[in-house]
Amino acid sequence: MANQFQLFKHRRFSAMFFTQFLGAFNDNIFKQALILVLTYTAASQLSMEVSILNNLAAMLFILPYFLFSALAGQIADKFEKSKLTRLIKLLELVIMTLAAVGFVFELYVLLFVALFLMGTHSTFFGPIKYAYLPQAMKENELVGANGLFQMGTSLAILLGMIVAGVLTQLSQSLYWISTAVLAVSILGYLAARYIPTMPAMQPNLKVNWNIFTTSLATVRYLYSLPFLFFVILGNSWFWFYGATFLTQTPEFSKVILYGDESVVIFLLTLFSVGVSIGSLLCKTLTKNQVSLRLLPFGIAGLSIFAIDLYLSLSGLDIAVADATLLSISDLFGMSGSWRVFADLFFLGFSGGLYIVPLYASMQAYAPKSHRARIVGANNIFNAIFMVTSAIFAIVILNTLGLTLPQLFLVTGLLNIAFGIFLYLKLNKHVKNAVIQTHDEAGL
């Protein structure tokens, strides 16, 4: 594991790592702060249901992935990536300026516009950063670099949510939030200035600006590459799976564990740290090779610990007086709580073992000329699966009337079926797929 941290000595890795880390960090400060403001302030001022406002916010952030991912892939293939990244980071600064004005003056329409624009910003940055890695990294560095990127993304999401929670508790919180998102935007732009030049992979590409025909053409092209198609289905399943669990974490923390807000953060931390450790270990366990040998272990772990989470939550017996909510220290002394904590940690750990080999395979096997567009197609499918996750949870919990532990059980059982299907398809098609040779240009 130590060797992969040596990548931070190279500007070709560290500059992009900190650019993407700060971007994910800022996304989550803004999103979480907005959700808290909508929940505790805007809903009453606008006389609207909290659930409607929060679901609208989630939809506005995901919508750009449907609309612009294919276009973003074309642009990332056509133009040089370091310059594109700097332009996108400047756009982030403009968007966060709008958000700051929206927070300070409580202009909720402007905040929703800024949220849609931040989703657009992330949509255009995604194909750049994931197509950049196989271009900038040597072949024996790719798995380690992906592990570090996945670790960084998990920690950035978690830290962004924690920072947002802390800032919203301060006096003059809206000013603190505005200052934070602007400051992080500036740091992200400064980090982007150190990204080395990476030659465009297809400079003569004619960009099709029709987002609908472009999206259809990108998905068709992906379908013509069966191995990559199933790799991306596997990637998207991870987002479905993670969203299903993490979205329910606040509710089961309060309703089942009777925990306060600190318990929510603690459980999210367990999951995120688990993902980070699992991601980092991938390099060592695969001996630096782009390989799917860890995938069965990731699939098995995701199901085993989901099923055990159902069993541990179902057998939990926590008694509280009145409407008292428990702190983390209170829960530590409760019988059975440690099993719940372990399940969440190992769910994250298994997720790390599952997702890093798939991301590395997507980058290594994607044709150089279409690499960013493959990432764009991946983002389209990710968005579809995340929306499907929300619909799935609503059907299970509201339509069928099952409990949260039963939702986790059903998801774990579905993962067994999907995991077997995925592994068989990947093993079938990998024989005809070819790893693209590493391009040393720009190093």
Side-chain angles (χ1 to χ4, degrees), residues 33-99:
L34 179 57
I35 286 171
L36 292 172
V37 168
L38 292 175
T39 300
Y40 293 101
T41 305
S44 58
Q45 290 182 0
L46 300 174
S47 300
M48 293 180 68
E49 292 289 335
V50 172
S51 60
I52 293 175
L53 288 174
N54 286 344
N55 284 325
L56 177 62
M59 182 192 71
L60 283 173
F61 191 81
I62 294 175
L63 184 59
Y65 287 91
F66 287 109
L67 297 178
F68 306 127
S69 285
L71 177 61
Q74 286 186 87
I75 291 173
D77 276 331
K78 180 176 177 63
F79 297 103
E80 193 274 314
K81 293 180 180 62
S82 65
K83 184 177 180 181
L84 267 182
T85 303
R86 288 191 291 274
L87 289 173
I88 287 173
K89 289 293 127 180
L90 282 175
L91 175 64
E92 180 184 351
L93 185 55
V94 172
I95 296 167
M96 288 297 98
T97 302
L98 290 176

Coordinates of all heavy atoms in Angstrom, one line a residue, residues 33-99:
A33 N -25.4 21.5 2.8 CA -25.8 22.8 3.4 C -27.2 23.2 2.8 O -28.0 23.6 3.6 CB -24.8 23.9 3.1
L34 N -27.3 23.0 1.5 CA -28.6 23.4 0.9 C -29.7 22.5 1.5 O -30.8 23.0 1.8 CB -28.5 23.3 -0.6 CG -29.8 23.6 -1.4 CD1 -30.3 25.0 -1.1 CD2 -29.6 23.4 -2.9
I35 N -29.5 21.2 1.6 CA -30.5 20.3 2.1 C -30.9 20.7 3.6 O -32.1 20.7 3.9 CB -30.0 18.8 2.1 CG1 -30.0 18.3 0.6 CG2 -30.8 17.9 3.0 CD1 -29.3 17.0 0.4
L36 N -29.9 21.0 4.4 CA -30.2 21.4 5.7 C -31.0 22.7 5.8 O -31.9 22.9 6.6 CB -28.9 21.6 6.5 CG -28.1 20.3 6.8 CD1 -26.7 20.5 7.4 CD2 -28.9 19.4 7.7
V37 N -30.6 23.7 4.9 CA -31.3 25.0 4.8 C -32.8 24.7 4.4 O -33.7 25.3 4.9 CB -30.6 26.0 3.9 CG1 -31.5 27.2 3.6 CG2 -29.3 26.4 4.5
L38 N -32.9 23.8 3.4 CA -34.3 23.5 2.9 C -35.1 22.9 4.0 O -36.3 23.1 4.1 CB -34.2 22.6 1.7 CG -33.6 23.2 0.4 CD1 -33.5 22.2 -0.7 CD2 -34.4 24.4 -0.1
T39 N -34.4 22.0 4.7 CA -35.1 21.2 5.8 C -35.6 22.1 6.9 O -36.7 22.0 7.4 CB -34.2 20.1 6.3 OG1 -33.9 19.2 5.2 CG2 -35.0 19.2 7.3
Y40 N -34.7 22.9 7.4 CA -35.0 23.6 8.6 C -35.4 25.1 8.4 O -35.9 25.7 9.4 CB -33.7 23.6 9.5 CG -33.4 22.3 10.0 CD1 -32.4 21.5 9.4 CD2 -34.1 21.7 11.1 CE1 -32.1 20.2 9.9 CE2 -33.8 20.4 11.5 CZ -32.8 19.7 10.9 OH -32.5 18.4 11.3
T41 N -35.3 25.6 7.3 CA -35.7 27.0 7.0 C -36.6 27.2 5.9 O -37.7 27.8 6.0 CB -34.4 27.9 6.8 OG1 -33.5 27.7 7.9 CG2 -34.8 29.4 6.7
A42 N -36.2 26.8 4.7 CA -36.9 27.1 3.5 C -38.3 26.5 3.4 O -39.3 27.1 3.0 CB -36.1 26.7 2.3
A43 N -38.4 25.2 4.0 CA -39.7 24.5 3.9 C -40.8 25.3 4.5 O -41.9 25.5 4.0 CB -39.6 23.1 4.5
S44 N -40.5 25.9 5.7 CA -41.6 26.6 6.4 C -41.8 28.0 5.7 O -43.0 28.5 5.6 CB -41.2 26.9 7.9 OG -39.9 27.5 7.9
Q45 N -40.7 28.6 5.2 CA -40.9 29.9 4.6 C -41.7 29.8 3.3 O -42.4 30.7 2.9 CB -39.5 30.5 4.3 CG -38.8 31.0 5.5 CD -37.4 31.6 5.2 OE1 -37.1 31.7 4.0 NE2 -36.7 32.1 6.2
L46 N -41.5 28.7 2.6 CA -42.1 28.5 1.3 C -43.4 27.7 1.4 O -44.1 27.5 0.4 CB -41.2 27.8 0.3 CG -39.8 28.5 0.0 CD1 -38.9 27.6 -0.8 CD2 -40.1 29.8 -0.7
S47 N -43.7 27.3 2.6 CA -44.9 26.4 2.8 C -45.0 25.2 1.9 O -46.0 24.9 1.3 CB -46.2 27.3 2.6 OG -46.2 28.4 3.5
M48 N -43.8 24.5 1.9 CA -43.7 23.3 1.1 C -43.2 22.2 1.9 O -42.6 22.4 2.9 CB -42.8 23.5 -0.1 CG -43.3 24.5 -1.1 SD -42.1 24.7 -2.5 CE -42.2 23.1 -3.3
E49 N -43.6 20.9 1.5 CA -43.1 19.7 2.2 C -41.6 19.6 2.1 O -41.0 19.8 1.0 CB -43.7 18.5 1.7 CG -45.2 18.4 1.9 CD -45.5 18.1 3.4 OE1 -44.6 17.5 4.1 OE2 -46.6 18.5 3.9
V50 N -40.9 19.2 3.2 CA -39.4 19.1 3.1 C -39.1 18.0 2.1 O -38.1 18.2 1.3 CB -38.9 18.6 4.5 CG1 -37.4 18.3 4.4 CG2 -39.1 19.8 5.5
S51 N -39.8 16.9 2.0 CA -39.5 15.8 1.1 C -39.5 16.3 -0.4 O -38.7 15.9 -1.2 CB -40.4 14.6 1.3 OG -41.8 15.0 1.1
I52 N -40.5 17.2 -0.7 CA -40.6 17.7 -2.0 C -39.4 18.5 -2.4 O -38.8 18.4 -3.5 CB -41.9 18.5 -2.2 CG1 -43.1 17.6 -2.1 CG2 -41.9 19.3 -3.5 CD1 -44.5 18.4 -2.1
L53 N -39.0 19.4 -1.5 CA -37.8 20.3 -1.7 C -36.5 19.4 -1.9 O -35.7 19.7 -2.8 CB -37.7 21.3 -0.6 CG -38.7 22.4 -0.6 CD1 -38.6 23.3 0.7 CD2 -38.6 23.3 -1.8
N54 N -36.4 18.5 -1.0 CA -35.1 17.7 -1.0 C -35.1 16.8 -2.3 O -34.0 16.6 -2.9 CB -35.0 16.8 0.3 CG -34.6 17.6 1.5 OD1 -34.2 18.8 1.3 ND2 -34.8 17.1 2.6
N55 N -36.2 16.2 -2.7 CA -36.2 15.4 -3.9 C -36.0 16.2 -5.1 O -35.4 15.8 -6.1 CB -37.6 14.6 -4.0 CG -37.6 13.5 -3.0 OD1 -36.6 12.8 -2.8 ND2 -38.8 13.2 -2.5
L56 N -36.5 17.5 -5.1 CA -36.3 18.4 -6.2 C -34.8 18.7 -6.3 O -34.3 18.7 -7.4 CB -37.1 19.7 -6.0 CG -36.9 20.8 -7.0 CD1 -37.3 20.3 -8.4 CD2 -37.7 22.1 -6.6
A57 N -34.2 18.9 -5.1 CA -32.8 19.2 -5.1 C -32.0 18.0 -5.7 O -31.1 18.2 -6.5 CB -32.3 19.5 -3.7
A58 N -32.3 16.8 -5.3 CA -31.6 15.6 -5.8 C -31.8 15.5 -7.3 O -30.8 15.2 -8.0 CB -32.1 14.4 -5.1
M59 N -33.0 15.8 -7.8 CA -33.3 15.6 -9.2 C -32.5 16.6 -10.0 O -31.9 16.3 -11.1 CB -34.8 15.8 -9.5 CG -35.2 15.6 -10.9 SD -36.8 16.2 -11.3 CE -36.7 18.0 -11.1
L60 N -32.4 17.9 -9.5 CA -31.7 18.9 -10.3 C -30.2 18.7 -10.4 O -29.6 19.0 -11.4 CB -32.0 20.3 -9.6 CG -33.3 20.9 -9.8 CD1 -33.5 22.2 -9.0 CD2 -33.5 21.3 -11.3
F61 N -29.7 18.0 -9.3 CA -28.2 17.7 -9.4 C -27.9 16.6 -10.3 O -26.9 16.6 -11.0 CB -27.7 17.4 -8.0 CG -26.2 17.3 -7.9 CD1 -25.4 18.5 -7.8 CD2 -25.5 16.1 -8.0 CE1 -24.1 18.4 -7.8 CE2 -24.1 16.1 -8.0 CZ -23.4 17.2 -7.9
I62 N -28.8 15.6 -10.4 CA -28.6 14.4 -11.2 C -28.9 14.7 -12.7 O -28.3 14.1 -13.6 CB -29.4 13.2 -10.7 CG1 -28.9 12.8 -9.3 CG2 -29.4 12.0 -11.6 CD1 -29.7 11.7 -8.7
L63 N -29.9 15.6 -13.0 CA -30.4 15.8 -14.3 C -29.3 16.1 -15.3 O -29.4 15.5 -16.5 CB -31.5 16.9 -14.3 CG -32.1 17.2 -15.6 CD1 -32.9 16.0 -16.1 CD2 -33.1 18.4 -15.4
P64 N -28.3 16.9 -15.0 CA -27.3 17.2 -16.0 C -26.5 15.9 -16.5 O -26.0 15.9 -17.6 CB -26.3 18.1 -15.3 CG -27.2 18.8 -14.3 CD -28.1 17.7 -13.8
Y65 N -26.4 14.9 -15.6 CA -25.8 13.7 -16.0 C -26.5 13.0 -17.2 O -25.9 12.4 -18.1 CB -25.6 12.7 -14.8 CG -24.6 13.1 -13.8 CD1 -24.9 14.0 -12.8 CD2 -23.3 12.7 -13.9 CE1 -24.0 14.4 -11.8 CE2 -22.3 13.1 -13.0 CZ -22.7 13.9 -12.0 OH -21.7 14.3 -11.0
F66 N -27.8 13.0 -17.1 CA -28.6 12.5 -18.2 C -28.4 13.3 -19.5 O -28.3 12.8 -20.6 CB -30.1 12.5 -17.9 CG -30.6 11.5 -16.9 CD1 -30.9 11.9 -15.6 CD2 -30.6 10.2 -17.2 CE1 -31.3 11.0 -14.7 CE2 -31.0 9.2 -16.3 CZ -31.4 9.6 -15.0
L67 N -28.4 14.7 -19.3 CA -28.5 15.6 -20.5 C -27.1 15.7 -21.1 O -27.0 15.8 -22.4 CB -29.0 16.9 -20.0 CG -30.5 17.0 -19.5 CD1 -30.8 18.4 -19.0 CD2 -31.4 16.5 -20.5
F68 N -26.1 15.9 -20.4 CA -24.8 16.4 -20.9 C -23.6 15.4 -20.9 O -22.5 15.8 -21.3 CB -24.4 17.7 -20.2 CG -25.5 18.7 -20.1 CD1 -25.9 19.3 -18.9 CD2 -26.1 19.2 -21.3 CE1 -26.9 20.3 -18.9 CE2 -27.1 20.1 -21.3 CZ -27.5 20.7 -20.1
S69 N -23.8 14.2 -20.3 CA -22.6 13.3 -20.2 C -22.0 13.0 -21.5 O -20.8 12.9 -21.6 CB -23.0 12.1 -19.4 OG -23.2 12.3 -18.1
A70 N -22.8 12.7 -22.5 CA -22.3 12.3 -23.8 C -21.5 13.5 -24.5 O -20.4 13.3 -25.0 CB -23.4 11.8 -24.7
L71 N -22.1 14.6 -24.4 CA -21.4 15.8 -24.9 C -20.1 16.1 -24.2 O -19.1 16.4 -24.8 CB -22.4 17.0 -24.8 CG -21.8 18.4 -25.2 CD1 -21.5 18.4 -26.7 CD2 -22.8 19.5 -24.9
A72 N -20.2 15.9 -22.8 CA -18.9 16.1 -22.0 C -17.8 15.2 -22.4 O -16.7 15.5 -22.5 CB -19.3 15.9 -20.5
G73 N -18.2 13.9 -22.8 CA -17.2 13.0 -23.2 C -16.6 13.4 -24.5 O -15.4 13.2 -24.7
Q74 N -17.4 13.9 -25.5 CA -16.8 14.3 -26.8 C -15.8 15.5 -26.5 O -14.7 15.5 -27.1 CB -18.0 14.9 -27.6 CG -18.9 13.8 -28.3 CD -19.8 14.5 -29.2 OE1 -19.6 14.7 -30.4 NE2 -21.0 14.8 -28.7
I75 N -16.2 16.4 -25.7 CA -15.3 17.6 -25.5 C -14.0 17.2 -24.8 O -12.9 17.6 -25.2 CB -16.1 18.6 -24.6 CG1 -17.2 19.2 -25.4 CG2 -15.1 19.7 -24.1 CD1 -18.1 20.2 -24.7
A76 N -14.1 16.2 -23.9 CA -12.9 15.7 -23.2 C -12.0 14.9 -24.1 O -10.8 14.9 -24.0 CB -13.3 14.9 -22.0
D77 N -12.6 14.3 -25.1 CA -11.7 13.6 -26.1 C -11.1 14.5 -27.1 O -10.0 14.3 -27.6 CB -12.6 12.5 -26.9 CG -12.7 11.2 -26.1 OD1 -11.8 10.9 -25.4 OD2 -13.7 10.5 -26.3
K78 N -11.8 15.6 -27.4 CA -11.3 16.5 -28.5 C -10.3 17.5 -28.0 O -9.3 17.9 -28.7 CB -12.5 17.3 -29.0 CG -12.2 18.3 -30.1 CD -13.4 19.0 -30.7 CE -13.0 20.1 -31.7 NZ -12.3 19.5 -32.9
F79 N -10.4 18.0 -26.7 CA -9.5 19.1 -26.3 C -8.5 18.6 -25.2 O -8.7 17.6 -24.6 CB -10.3 20.2 -25.7 CG -11.3 20.9 -26.7 CD1 -12.6 20.6 -26.7 CD2 -10.7 21.7 -27.7 CE1 -13.5 21.2 -27.7 CE2 -11.6 22.3 -28.6 CZ -12.9 22.0 -28.6
E80 N -7.5 19.4 -25.1 CA -6.4 19.1 -24.1 C -7.0 19.2 -22.7 O -7.7 20.2 -22.3 CB -5.3 20.1 -24.3 CG -4.0 19.7 -23.6 CD -4.0 20.3 -22.2 OE1 -4.4 21.4 -22.0 OE2 -3.6 19.5 -21.3
K81 N -6.7 18.3 -21.8 CA -7.4 18.1 -20.5 C -7.0 19.1 -19.4 O -7.9 19.5 -18.6 CB -7.2 16.7 -20.0 CG -7.9 15.6 -20.9 CD -7.7 14.2 -20.4 CE -8.4 13.2 -21.3 NZ -7.8 13.2 -22.7
S82 N -5.8 19.5 -19.4 CA -5.4 20.5 -18.3 C -6.1 21.8 -18.5 O -6.6 22.4 -17.5 CB -3.9 20.6 -18.2 OG -3.4 21.2 -19.4
K83 N -6.2 22.3 -19.7 CA -6.8 23.6 -20.0 C -8.3 23.5 -19.8 O -8.9 24.4 -19.2 CB -6.5 24.0 -21.5 CG -7.1 25.4 -21.8 CD -6.8 25.8 -23.2 CE -7.3 27.1 -23.6 NZ -7.0 27.5 -25.0
L84 N -8.9 22.3 -20.2 CA -10.3 22.1 -20.0 C -10.6 22.1 -18.5 O -11.6 22.8 -18.0 CB -10.8 20.8 -20.5 CG -11.3 20.7 -21.9 CD1 -11.7 19.3 -22.3 CD2 -12.5 21.6 -22.1
T85 N -9.8 21.5 -17.7 CA -10.0 21.4 -16.2 C -10.0 22.8 -15.6 O -10.8 23.2 -14.8 CB -9.0 20.5 -15.6 OG1 -9.0 19.2 -16.2 CG2 -9.2 20.4 -14.1
R86 N -9.0 23.6 -16.0 CA -8.9 25.0 -15.5 C -10.2 25.8 -15.8 O -10.7 26.6 -15.0 CB -7.6 25.7 -16.0 CG -6.4 25.1 -15.4 CD -5.2 26.0 -15.7 NE -4.8 26.0 -17.1 CZ -4.0 25.1 -17.6 NH1 -3.5 24.1 -16.8 NH2 -3.6 25.1 -18.8
L87 N -10.7 25.7 -17.1 CA -11.9 26.4 -17.4 C -13.1 25.9 -16.6 O -13.9 26.8 -16.2 CB -12.2 26.1 -18.9 CG -11.2 26.8 -19.9 CD1 -11.5 26.4 -21.3 CD2 -11.4 28.4 -19.8
I88 N -13.2 24.6 -16.3 CA -14.3 24.1 -15.5 C -14.2 24.6 -14.1 O -15.2 24.9 -13.4 CB -14.3 22.6 -15.6 CG1 -14.8 22.2 -17.0 CG2 -15.2 21.9 -14.6 CD1 -14.7 20.7 -17.3
K89 N -12.9 24.7 -13.6 CA -12.8 25.2 -12.2 C -13.1 26.7 -12.1 O -13.6 27.1 -11.1 CB -11.3 24.9 -11.7 CG -11.0 23.4 -11.5 CD -11.8 22.9 -10.3 CE -12.6 21.7 -10.6 NZ -13.4 21.2 -9.5
L90 N -12.8 27.4 -13.2 CA -13.3 28.8 -13.2 C -14.8 28.9 -13.2 O -15.4 29.7 -12.5 CB -12.7 29.5 -14.4 CG -11.3 30.0 -14.3 CD1 -10.8 30.6 -15.7 CD2 -11.1 31.0 -13.2
L91 N -15.4 28.0 -13.9 CA -16.9 27.9 -13.9 C -17.4 27.6 -12.5 O -18.4 28.2 -12.1 CB -17.4 26.8 -14.9 CG -18.9 26.6 -15.0 CD1 -19.6 27.8 -15.4 CD2 -19.2 25.4 -15.9
E92 N -16.7 26.7 -11.8 CA -17.1 26.4 -10.5 C -17.1 27.6 -9.6 O -18.0 27.8 -8.8 CB -16.2 25.3 -9.9 CG -16.6 24.9 -8.5 CD -15.6 23.9 -7.8 OE1 -14.8 23.4 -8.6 OE2 -15.7 23.7 -6.6
L93 N -16.1 28.5 -9.8 CA -16.0 29.7 -9.0 C -17.2 30.6 -9.2 O -17.7 31.2 -8.3 CB -14.6 30.4 -9.3 CG -14.3 31.6 -8.4 CD1 -14.3 31.3 -6.9 CD2 -12.9 32.1 -8.8
V94 N -17.5 30.7 -10.5 CA -18.7 31.6 -10.9 C -20.0 31.0 -10.3 O -20.8 31.7 -9.7 CB -18.8 31.6 -12.4 CG1 -20.1 32.3 -12.8 CG2 -17.6 32.4 -13.0
I95 N -20.1 29.7 -10.3 CA -21.3 29.0 -9.8 C -21.4 29.2 -8.3 O -22.5 29.5 -7.7 CB -21.4 27.5 -10.1 CG1 -21.4 27.3 -11.6 CG2 -22.5 26.8 -9.4 CD1 -21.2 25.9 -12.1
M96 N -20.3 29.1 -7.6 CA -20.3 29.2 -6.1 C -20.5 30.7 -5.7 O -21.0 31.0 -4.6 CB -19.0 28.7 -5.6 CG -18.9 27.2 -5.6 SD -20.1 26.4 -4.6 CE -21.4 25.9 -5.8
T97 N -20.1 31.6 -6.6 CA -20.5 33.0 -6.3 C -22.0 33.2 -6.4 O -22.6 33.9 -5.5 CB -19.8 34.0 -7.4 OG1 -18.4 33.8 -7.3 CG2 -20.1 35.4 -7.1
L98 N -22.7 32.6 -7.4 CA -24.1 32.6 -7.4 C -24.7 32.0 -6.2 O -25.7 32.5 -5.6 CB -24.6 31.9 -8.7 CG -24.4 32.5 -10.0 CD1 -24.9 31.6 -11.1 CD2 -25.1 33.9 -10.1
A99 N -24.1 30.9 -5.8 CA -24.6 30.2 -4.6 C -24.5 31.0 -3.3 O -25.4 31.1 -2.5 CB -23.9 28.8 -4.4

